[in-house]
Amino acid sequence: MNKNVLVAGGGIGGLACALAMARAGASVNVMEQSGAFGEVGAGLQLGPNAVRVLHEWGLTDTLRACAAFPESLRVCDARSARSLGRLKLGAVVLARYGQPYATLHRADLHKLLLEAVQHQPKVALSLNTRIASFETTADGVCVHTEDGRDVNGDTLIGCDGLWSQVRTSLLGAQPVRSSGHLAYRGMVPSHDMPIGCRGNVVTAWLGPRLHVVHYPVRSGDWFNVVAVVHGVLGKGHGEPAESWNHEAHAVDLKRAMGSVCESLAGVIDAVPEWKLWALNDRPPMRGPGEHAQGRVALLGDAAHPLRPYLAQGAAMAIEDAWTLGRLLQEAIEQGPVDWPPLLTRYARTRWQRNARVQARSQRNGTIFHATGLLRVGRNLGLGLMGEWLMDNPWLYSGPPHPIR
C-alpha cells in the first residue's frame, strides 16, 4: 500500500484535495489546526471551470441547492452610475462552456465539500492538528505536530493557506506581500438591497482607487457585498497583518470611498455589519519547484495566493485538487504509485496557469482602481469591447488535462 495521503488544512482546498484523492483510491488523513471544520469570509464566485469539476465529482445537485446562477455581469461607474459594459452569463455561459457560472457563500461551498468527504470511507478528519515540521525519506513523509505526535504517510499536500507552514518548511521563509488594498465584506438579505440592485446579476462598481462587487448567494436570498479600497492594515513598517478578519465600520469605508452615486451608496448603507480584511498575496509563481518537490506538494493559496480581482481563488484550488486526483487515478491503474514523478507532473501542469491567473488578478486590480487616462481608456474599452474583454475562454474552458 503506497496511497496514504496526508493533507494539511481542512479549508476549501484541503477538502477538495481529500475528495479528489479519495475518489481516485487513496487513503487520506486531513489535518486541520483548528478545533472545528468551518470557513470564514463571505461570498465567492465559481466560473464554469470550477463548476465543471464539481459536476464531475457528483456535486451538481448540492451546488444548485445553495448557489445562485447570475444572468449577467454588469460593470458600472461608481461615481456616475453609468453602465460601462456587460457580459452575459446564465444560459449563454452554459451553452458556451457546458457549465454555468455560480455565486455562493464560502461556508456553503465548504459544507458541501465536507459532506462529500465524510461519505468517503477512506478519509480521516483530524482536528486540533497543527503542523510544526516534516521530514521526507526515500519511501514516505513524517509530519511532526506541535503537540508532539508523528503522522506518517506516502505524500504530503500542503493546503494550509497563505501562511502555510508546509510551504515554509518546503521552500524556506518567504515574506507575504501586502497588496496595499483593504476589503470590506458584508452580507445583505435580498429584500434589504436597493430595488435597482436586487437582480440576479453580478455588479461591479469601478471608481478611482476603489471598486465594489455584489452578487446573490444562498439561492438568491442574500447578497454578498465586497468593497475594496486602498490602505494598509498591518503591524507597522509595511508588515502585512496575519489577522485579517476585523470588525469594521461603514463610516470608515465611506470615508475611504469618497463620493459615490446614490445607488452604490444605498448598497453600502444596506449592509448591517462589515468585516475588514487586509489583502495579501505573493508574487506569481516562477517555476514548478514552487508547486512540488519530491513527495511534498502545495495546493491553492499555499502555492499561489490570489488577489480577488479575477474571482478565481477557490476555483484554482479546486482545479489543483482535480489535477492531483486525475494523476493519482492514472498512476494506480498502472501499478504502485511513484509519488515524486506524479507530483512533478502536477507541478508542471499547474504552475504556469496559476502564475497567469495570479498576474491577471493583479493587473485587474490596477484596471479596476484606475485614475486619469487609464480610467478613461478602460471605460472606452469596456464600452466598445466589453463582452470580449470580460470573457475568459482560456480560463473558463479549464481545467487543462495533466501534461506528460
Side-chain angles (χ1 to χ4, degrees), residues 20-257:
M21 302 299 252
R23 285 173 53 87
S27 297
V28 185
N29 184 351
V30 179
M31 298 173 290
E32 167 57 35
Q33 65 180 3
S34 66
F37 287 100
E39 184 67 40
V40 297
L44 54 78
Q45 303 176 58
L46 290 181
N49 51 313
V51 176
R52 182 172 294 111
V53 174
L54 298 182
H55 175 75
E56 183 174 311
W57 289 345
L59 300 177
T60 296
D61 289 343
T62 49
L63 178 66
R64 290 193 175 278
C66 65
F69 298 90
E71 294 299 321
S72 65
L73 163 63
R74 65 174 181 173
V75 182
C76 302
D77 189 286
R79 297 284 169 84
S80 69
R82 180 168 65 93
S83 177
L84 301 177
R86 183 179 291 266
L87 174 66
K88 295 176 183 177
L89 301 175
V92 173
V93 162
L94 180 60
R96 184 175 297 160
Y97 297 111
Q99 295 294 337
Y101 195 102
T103 53
L104 67 165
H105 197 285
R106 294 187 67 89
D108 293 337
L109 177 59
H110 186 272
K111 180 181 177 182
L112 73 86
L113 288 169
L114 179 59
E115 290 177 349
V117 166
Q118 288 172 330
H119 282 90
Q120 293 290 331
K122 290 186 176 182
V123 177
L125 300 174
S126 303
L127 296 171
N128 297 307
T129 304
R130 186 182 293 270
I131 294 175
S133 62
F134 66 83
E135 56 187 349
T136 61
T137 65
D139 57 0
V141 179
C142 181
V143 168
H144 307 293
T145 67
E146 289 191 356
D147 59 1
R149 290 175 289 152
D150 290 342
V151 185
N152 294 291
D154 297 305
T155 186
L156 170 64
I157 313 299
C159 309
D160 46 344
L162 175 65
W163 307 91
S164 168
Q165 179 60 44
V166 176
R167 179 191 178 99
T168 298
S169 297
L170 184 68
L171 303 179
Q174 300 170 334
V176 169
R177 179 175 68 174
S178 172
S179 71
H181 294 174
L182 301 175
Y184 289 75
R185 304 179 189 267
M187 296 278 290
V188 186
S190 296
H191 56 74
D192 288 341
M193 284 285 282
I195 292 176
C197 297
R198 295 180 188 174
N200 187 24
V201 174
V202 179
T203 302
W205 303 87
L206 308 185
R209 297 170 60 85
L210 72 96
H211 81 280
V212 179
V213 179
H214 54 78
Y215 48 80
V217 297
R218 294 190 162 157
S219 301
D221 293 337
W222 290 77
F223 271 78
N224 179 64
V225 183
V226 183
V228 180
V229 296
H230 288 210
V232 176
L233 182 66
K235 296 174 284 188
H237 309 291
E239 186 179 356
E242 184 170 353
S243 178
W244 35 253
N245 192 18
H246 299 260
E247 298 290 339
H249 303 285
V251 63
D252 297 322
L253 172 58
K254 290 178 179 180
R255 185 183 302 114
M257 292 175 65

Side-chain angles (χ1 to χ4, degrees), residues 296-329:
V296 181
L298 303 174
L299 181 149
D301 283 353
H304 45 78
L306 293 168
R307 299 184 186 184
Y309 312 131
L310 195 57
Q312 283 286 316
M316 288 300 102
I318 290 170
E319 283 196 11
D320 284 351
W322 177 87
T323 303
L324 280 170
R326 277 297 182 96
L327 288 168
L328 178 58
Q329 184 176 24

